Amino acid sequence: MLELKRLNSGYGRAQVLFDFELRLGAGEVVALLGRNGAGKSTALKATMGLLPLFSGEILFNREKLQGLEPFRIARLGLGYVPEDRRIFTGLSVRENLEAGRQPPRAGAPRWTPEKLFELFPNLGRMRDRNGVSMSGGEQQMLAIARTLMGNPRALLLDEPFEGLAPVIVDAVAASIRELKREGLSVLLCEQNLRYARLVADRACIIEMGRICHTGSLAGLDSDPALRERYLSF
Amino acid sequence: MSWESILIQLLNGLAGASSLFLVAAGLSLIFGVTRIVNFAHGSLYMLGMYLAVWLSGRVGFWVAVPLAAVSVGLVGFFIEFFLLKKIYKAPELLQLLATFALALVIKDAALWAWGPEDMLGPRAPGFSGAVNIAGSAVPQYDLLLILLGPLVLVFLQLVLSKTRWGILVRAASEDREMAGALGVNQRWLFTGVFVLGALLAGLGGALQIPREPASLNVDLRVISDAFVVVVVGGLGSIPGAFLAALLIAEAKAFCTGLGYSEATLVIEFVIMAAVLVWRPWGLLGRAQAPAKNPGFAQAPAEFPARKVFIAGAVLLAVLALLPVAAGGYTLVLLTDMLVFALFATSLHFIMGPGGLYSFGHAAYFGIGAYAAGILVLNKITTMEFALALAPLAAGLGALLFGWFCVRLSGVYSAMLTLAFAQIAWSAAFQWNALTGGSNGMVGIWPAPWLASKTAYYYLTLILCAAAISFFWRAIHSPFGYALRAGRDSPQRADASGIDVRAVQWAAFTIAGLAAGVAGSLYAFSKGSISPESLGIQRSVDGLVMVMLGGIQTLTGPLWGAALFTWLQDATARNLDYWRAVTGMVILALVLLLPNGIGSFFQKKK
């Protein structure tokens, strides 16, 4: 589905990613784990074309993404939900969804506002509310829903659980599992192994801009030394 | 003075507000999405006027108006497609310069197509009569315009809230990058918004022709009015633009109705001051995020090496010895070069180290020149005292205007500097009793002991060299460090205990003072002044000098000013379209070196 090969990227002269490699299979949920500043968000932004690639190759359904503008990448069916959610605060919930709407895509689940309000019942209760007056959890749900309106084949989620109340974490996690059942592939960044365990099939650990471990979550659970070395807990 | 006449003025003001609203709304829309302040927006309005007058002679008024608006929209398409697309990622200053250059080109294009004379428009068929209101005749057409403003407002609001295009425009205005990541192709959004904005400006101009003739001065008057409106209403807010257009037009009409038409310039000012103190982002505006690509990434200015000082001393010695060899004509040219070197250096001081964009620096040059003239011609002081006092007047002007400018950042501040220069120009142009109006003032000669070209050259050399060295010293003083820190990272500078605004305000005032020195020296060297000395063209000249020399260099303004003055002296006389040529030069520089003219010149050195 998505294949990142030897990505080198960063901000201006400051390189963050060094020969970063990652594969996301069809229908798979992969957690990209790592500490603050390890390069998780950078990896997603570089994939989405929001940061320039110094070198490397990105394949998405056998199409090359490198060098494409973000809107082209989005139109190929790769959805992106940023860490800070970036809701359009001057727009209502409905209008936010409309801004994300793209034509239906063969081989990807087809979303409508009504279907999304079923997935996120909270949003259904505030269709005409402005983004500015929403809680963090509601904003996170809206951000995911907005991206789903583009009918993506795969999703990049940047720390979807950050700053959410535990009960909301469970709700968002349930939605992500639902997306997997619908056939979407998901790559999500996470600092917290506990949250990753809620949704992910597989984990990749990033440290100093390089992938240093790939394996099952169960494998991580049974290797405290690995956790100690690359994660904060 | 009666209530009836005030009422009539208020209705008149409402009619004027509609056209102004159309321009300001277009300006606001374009800025919202593209983050470019279109300095050429008043020029599009002017183009709408000319086209409508020209077309209505052929196809009749009611066909001409929409046709003119659509044609201006088409012009907007070409501007966006062939020019703006290339500079969306360029530093803010270059974007401003490019649209500003465009305004110069459009003005000369109109001059070429329609000549310098004002063109009277026809009356609107069907609306040429008057309605009796409170005993006075109010033109029917005014009532139509009064109705049209709110209609356009409602139409725009509907488009923005009910159509997919409008929703995408609002989304992109808030967060362009995110809209792109959701699959929105900004390119067509930008083009569409610019065309709509241009069309609105063209419509505003076309609708105005039964009320006033098309003239070449309209562009700058309208753009500075529109700038004041968007600053008061909040850049990016359409209802804000409407509210502010009404407020300003009505306040002005009220002054006129009371019989104080001179107060209209002041009232604009007072409203702006009140709004900026009370709501810095305008009545209905929201705080802007700092620009993504503000200035040039500037390397810290290094303290000049010893050899630079030696070179400076040699240059000064050569300049001091020149009168021995050079003739009168050369001395006059050299005097001009020195004056403009100081003018450019003072502008560079606020633009380079200060990071404040000034599109109206000539205001202070002009105030200095006029103050000198007024003091001497009215025999208030001797020439020597006038030369000492006149710059203080310019400094005072900069103190006043600067207070506003440093309160706003980036494009806002740039718009204000232009608006203030336009106000200063209008004052000089209209205040016949004091400034001689459009004729200017003549007979401003230096004292007898300075009357010879050589003596005056030495005076200019001493004053300009001293002032320029002062600026160079200031850049490397703690004050200069604070100024540069405030430019590079306002928040961090603030957190380090630097009062960024105060430092910028001081820099602005000092630069105004120095421009005043240049202006008064200029007045005495020429013996006369005209409103041109504080016109927009002079501000443009200053910008071109700074850009030519390279904004990142210390000595750049010197070479820029010398080269420009020489070029102008050698070629301007033979060129009918000097303005368009300067505009083209700026555009060429911006387009060919989009990542910084300064850096290019830096490397060359």
Side-chain angles (χ1 to χ4, degrees):
Chain A
M1 171 81 12
L2 179 67
E3 205 173 338
L4 314 180
K5 291 180 184 165
R6 302 180 72 85
L7 297 193
N8 288 286
S9 178
Y11 304 83
R13 262 181 250 162
Q15 189 168 350
V16 177
L17 295 183
F18 298 88
D19 289 337
F20 180 87
E21 303 242 349
L22 196 144
R23 290 173 69 105
L24 176 69
E28 198 184 18
V29 178
V30 171
L32 179 58
L33 293 165
R35 292 196 179 102
N36 251 345
K40 302 186 296 293
S41 295
T42 309
L44 295 198
K45 283 183 193 162
T47 308
M48 202 59 207
L50 296 168
L51 279 179
L53 279 188
F54 303 159
S55 68
E57 202 184 2
I58 306 172
L59 288 177
F60 179 58
N61 287 321
R62 281 183 221 93
E63 297 208 55
K64 284 183 185 169
L65 297 191
Q66 67 268 26
L68 292 185
E69 286 176 84
F71 84 91
R72 297 250 176 247
I73 294 175
R75 286 180 180 189
L76 286 172
L78 187 59
Y80 169 68
V81 181
E83 185 178 10
D84 40 5
R85 291 142 202 171
R86 294 167 77 168
I87 293 301
F88 302 121
T89 50
L91 273 57
S92 70
V93 168
R94 267 176 202 284
E95 290 173 331
N96 265 287
L97 294 181
E98 176 62 27
R101 183 168 66 83
Q102 292 291 327
R105 194 182 313 282
R110 189 173 168 177
W111 298 96
T112 60
E114 293 314 314
K115 216 174 142 192
L116 286 165
F117 292 147
E118 277 171 35
L119 185 66
F120 301 107
N122 287 14
L123 293 182
R125 287 192 287 274
M126 50 178 81
R127 304 169 189 216
D128 295 310
R129 195 182 306 170
N130 257 19
V132 75
S133 57
M134 298 175 78
S135 73
E138 289 157 357
Q139 287 199 3
Q140 184 62 56
M141 292 177 189
L142 178 56
I144 296 176
R146 182 180 62 179
T147 301
L148 287 175
M149 281 297 285
N151 304 311
R153 292 193 176 95
L155 268 187
L156 307 175
L157 299 178
D158 200 346
E159 304 212 13
F161 304 113
E162 194 194 16
L164 302 189
V167 56
I168 308 290
V169 167
D170 290 337
V172 170
S175 319
I176 295 174
R177 288 194 296 266
E178 175 66 29
L179 295 179
K180 179 179 153 70
R181 268 195 294 281
E182 294 264 359
L184 254 77
S185 321
V186 178
L187 172 61
L188 77 153
C189 293
E190 194 46 70
Q191 291 194 47
N192 193 323
L193 184 59
R194 200 155 36 106
Y195 290 160
R197 223 180 270 136
L198 293 175
V199 290
D201 306 319
R202 202 154 60 83
C204 298
I205 298 180
I206 179 174
E207 171 82 4
M208 306 282 281
R210 290 180 179 84
I211 288 292
C212 53
H213 173 86
T214 302
S216 68
L217 279 152
L220 256 182
D221 280 340
S222 60
D223 192 347
L226 191 67
R227 295 209 304 270
E228 178 69 25
R229 197 160 153 211
Y230 296 118
L231 303 169
S232 319
F233 38 86
Chain B
M1 183 46 24
S2 64
W3 285 111
E4 285 77 19
S5 74
I6 292 181
L7 179 73
I8 296 306
Q9 283 301 333
L10 289 182
L11 285 175
N12 189 28
L14 278 178
S18 286
S19 272
L20 191 52
F21 162 64
L22 292 187
V23 184
L27 195 67
S28 242
L29 264 179
I30 292 171
F31 176 79
V33 178
T34 63
R35 299 286 137 180
I36 286 186
V37 170
N38 182 21
F39 271 64
H41 220 60
S43 316
L44 295 174
Y45 177 97
M46 179 185 77
L47 215 52
M49 283 185 100
Y50 273 104
L51 280 171
V53 173
W54 183 70
L55 284 169
S56 54
R58 286 160 179 76
V59 294
F61 179 81
W62 289 113
V63 180
V65 167
L67 204 58
V70 169
S71 313
V72 175
L74 202 66
V75 171
F77 173 79
F78 285 109
I79 293 174
E80 202 278 341
F81 201 80
F82 292 105
L83 172 65
L84 298 187
K85 279 216 187 310
K86 308 216 169 6
I87 55 167
Y88 282 131
K89 294 204 169 118
E92 208 171 42
L93 178 61
L94 291 192
Q95 298 175 339
L96 294 175
L97 276 170
T99 62
F100 197 47
L102 204 60
L104 300 176
V105 174
I106 293 176
K107 198 199 262 287
D108 269 3
L111 173 67
W112 173 77
W114 291 293
E117 299 298 321
D118 289 3
M119 272 168 69
L120 266 176
R123 293 211 172 165
F127 289 85
S128 50
V131 181
N132 193 331
I133 293 177
S136 305
V138 177
Q140 286 172 335
Y141 189 74
D142 281 14
L143 296 178
L144 182 72
L145 282 187
I146 291 174
L147 213 68
L148 208 73
L151 278 180
V152 172
L153 172 68
V154 169
F155 170 76
L156 285 178
Q157 290 298 89
L158 280 178
V159 167
L160 286 178
S161 61
K162 297 292 177 215
T163 67
R164 173 169 170 83
W165 186 79
I167 289 171
L168 294 183
V169 165
R170 280 158 62 213
S173 300
E174 226 180 274
D175 190 339
R176 277 195 279 180
E177 197 184 52
M178 192 61 226
L182 289 170
V184 177
N185 184 354
Q186 300 174 34
R187 235 174 267 137
W188 288 109
L189 211 55
F190 283 18
T191 310
V193 165
F194 198 86
V195 169
L196 177 63
L199 192 136
L200 286 173
L203 183 64
L207 284 171
Q208 197 65 7
I209 58 165
R211 303 180 82 232
E212 64 172 315
S215 91
L216 290 172
N217 295 325
V218 165
D219 56 349
L220 288 171
R221 197 197 72 215
V222 167
I223 193 69
S224 52
D225 276 353
F227 281 173
V228 173
V229 165
V230 293
V231 166
V232 168
L235 200 49
S237 164
I238 307 288
F242 185 73
L243 196 66
L246 278 189
L247 185 69
I248 288 169
E250 288 305 85
K252 282 181 161 182
F254 196 67
C255 285
T256 317
L258 287 176
Y260 301 110
S261 53
E262 302 84 6
T264 51
L265 286 178
V266 179
I267 195 76
E268 206 169 353
F269 220 71
V270 171
I271 292 176
M272 199 151 62
V275 169
L276 288 184
V277 171
W278 176 50
R279 287 186 70 93
W281 301 108
L283 291 174
L284 299 180
R286 290 208 271 176
Q288 299 289 342
K292 279 268 163 64
N293 42 357
F296 304 96
Q298 300 206 19
E302 279 172 30
F303 197 77
R306 176 179 290 270
K307 60 182 178 191
V308 177
F309 284 101
I310 296 169
V314 170
L315 177 70
L316 207 57
V318 170
L319 285 174
L321 289 174
L322 260 178
V324 179
Y329 180 77
T330 315
L331 281 186
V332 170
L333 186 61
L334 277 170
T335 307
D336 276 1
M337 283 183 180
L338 286 169
V339 164
F340 286 112
L342 175 56
F343 178 57
T345 303
S346 68
L347 177 61
H348 172 262
F349 183 66
I350 47 175
M351 288 188 46
L356 297 162
Y357 313 142
S358 177
F359 284 74
H361 201 55
Y364 315 106
F365 185 89
I367 293 176
Y370 268 101
I374 290 165
L375 287 173
V376 169
L377 287 187
N378 294 309
K379 305 213 164 32
I380 299 171
T381 62
T382 59
M383 178 264 171
E384 292 88 343
F385 273 110
L387 197 57
L389 289 177
L392 293 181
L396 222 58
L399 193 73
L400 179 67
F401 293 161
W403 186 87
F404 294 93
C405 296
V406 301
R407 232 138 276 268
L408 297 171
S409 59
V411 293
Y412 271 89
S413 170
M415 293 192 296
L416 276 189
T417 56
L418 183 87
F420 287 142
Q422 183 66 11
I423 288 173
W425 179 83
S426 322
F429 196 77
Q430 288 168 8
W431 204 347
N432 272 312
L434 192 66
T435 62
S438 56
N439 297 326
M441 308 166 84
V442 288
I444 311 159
W445 293 113
W449 64 278
L450 289 166
S452 81
K453 297 265 179 281
T454 313
Y456 201 78
Y457 169 77
Y458 277 120
L459 173 77
T460 311
L461 179 63
I462 291 166
L463 286 179
C464 290
I468 291 170
S469 335
F470 167 80
F471 278 116
W472 290 353
R473 182 71 193 87
I475 291 174
H476 296 285
S477 71
F479 175 77
Y481 300 150
L483 188 64
R484 285 188 270 154
R487 170 197 68 194
D488 292 339
S489 181
Q491 284 178 335
R492 194 166 299 179
D494 232 354
S496 318
I498 296 171
D499 187 342
V500 175
R501 272 186 193 167
V503 170
Q504 289 179 335
W505 192 21
F508 198 92
T509 307
I510 295 168
L513 194 82
V517 173
S520 41
L521 279 170
Y522 186 73
F524 286 117
S525 80
K526 296 289 172 233
S528 65
I529 344 164
S530 68
E532 275 165 33
S533 63
L534 40 60
I536 296 299
Q537 182 64 41
R538 171 94 357 119
S539 297
V540 179
D541 292 351
L543 287 170
V544 175
M545 291 173 199
V546 171
M547 299 311 283
L548 272 178
I551 197 158
Q552 304 189 328
T553 66
L554 199 62
T555 54
L558 250 56
W559 313 127
L563 182 66
F564 185 86
T565 311
W566 174 73
L567 267 180
Q568 197 169 28
D569 185 74
T571 63
R573 273 184 283 246
N574 313 319
L575 278 174
D576 290 335
Y577 300 102
W578 172 249
R579 240 185 333 239
V581 172
T582 12
M584 300 279 199
V585 168
I586 299 178
L587 281 179
L589 287 172
V590 168
L591 284 178
L592 297 177
L593 305 160
N595 292 322
I597 295 161
S599 59
F600 177 79
F601 282 94
Q602 186 94 1
K603 263 179 239 144
K604 281 256 152 154
K605 270 184 62 183

